């Protein structure tokens, strides 16, 4: 009984390490990320790609209200997996940091600088009593000074840089697909195709243009751009992953 009570104490306190050096609340936040629908990032020499699963729980829901890709600055985009409300707070913080940097230094913020500012903010919530960690992981993608960059933020407040990554549901399966098919010399179009194919690898029925979100930031113009349904349909058809019946009724939605 005493051991069980001690376990509960470590379980409840964000500021208390367990005897084996773990913060259980941070690990629970990671579990919340795993319950979110998948988001994928791919970096190529020509730019970066963000692709997300936007399945909804009801045909009565407006698809445009399901936001998983966000513009943080003209040259930076963010995709999320986990609790939508937590993601929204962090994205608002990222936008504020981008604006502050522009006003203070009269130049766009670097992708790495923005990522570390966000992860510093996340980390503060892993050591303050009366608060909980953010139950969301972000993919921060952008181009700065002609260099494409791709980062992941973890609920612990740790940043990681990737060539290609996935967060959310089926992360391990999607990562294996990316590892098997990623090439260093891909074009931006190839990157979009890889991201959508990776997303389709864990969706047996294929993908519909309305059920996914895709954004790119090209090295050429360093501009965040979301693809419309017609463009997404072309990529899905070209990669052979277009759903035969584009009816998402009954599909479950998560963050």
């Amino acid at each position: 009984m005493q051991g069980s009570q001690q376990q509960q104490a470590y379980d409840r306190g964000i500021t208390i390490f367990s005897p084996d050096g773990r913060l259980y609340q941070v690990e629970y936040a990671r579990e919340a990320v795993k319950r979110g629908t998948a988001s994928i990032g791919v970096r190529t020499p020509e730019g970066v790609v963000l692709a997300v699963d936007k399945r909804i729980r009801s045909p009565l829901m407006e698809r445009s209200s399901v936001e998983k890709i966000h513009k943080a600055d003209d040259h930076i985009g963010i995709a999320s997996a986990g609790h939508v409300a937590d993601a929204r707070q962090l994205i608002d913080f990222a936008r504020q940091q981008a604006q502050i940097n522009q006003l203070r230094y009269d130049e766009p913020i670097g992708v790495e600088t923005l990522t570390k500012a966000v992860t510093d903010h996340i980390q503060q919530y892993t050591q303050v009593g009366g608060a909980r960690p953010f139950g969301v992981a972000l993919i921060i993608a952008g181009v700065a000074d002609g260099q494409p960059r791709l980062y992941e933020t973890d609920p612990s407040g740790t940043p990681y840089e990737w060539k290609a990554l996935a967060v959310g549901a089926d992360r391990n399966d999607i990562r294996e697909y990316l590892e098997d098919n990623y090439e260093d010399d891909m074009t931006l179009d190839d990157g979009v195709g890889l991201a959508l194919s990776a997303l389709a690898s864990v969706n047996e029925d294929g993908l519909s243009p309305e059920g996914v979100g895709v954004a790119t930031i090209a090295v050429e113009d360093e501009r965040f751009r979301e693809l419309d349904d017609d463009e997404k349909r072309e990529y899905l058809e070209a990669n052979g992953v277009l759903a035969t019946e584009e009816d998402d009724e009954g599909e479950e939605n998560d963050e």
Side-chain angles (χ1 to χ4, degrees), residues 120-142:
D120 286 348
H121 183 66
I122 293 171
Q123 194 275 335
Q124 292 178 13
Y125 284 80
T126 69
Q127 61 181 19
V128 178
R132 65 161 174 81
F134 289 95
V136 66
L138 304 179
I139 301 176
I140 302 178

Side-chain angles (χ1 to χ4, degrees), residues 196-231:
L196 291 174
S197 297
L199 203 56
S201 69
V202 294
N203 288 273
E204 296 180 358
D205 298 330
L207 305 173
S208 68
E210 299 83 4
V212 297
V214 181
T216 62
I217 305 100
V219 169
E220 184 178 0
D221 57 9
E222 298 189 6
R223 287 283 178 178
F224 173 90
R225 189 176 77 87
E226 284 198 70
L227 275 58
D228 60 33
D229 286 348
D230 291 337
E231 291 174 304

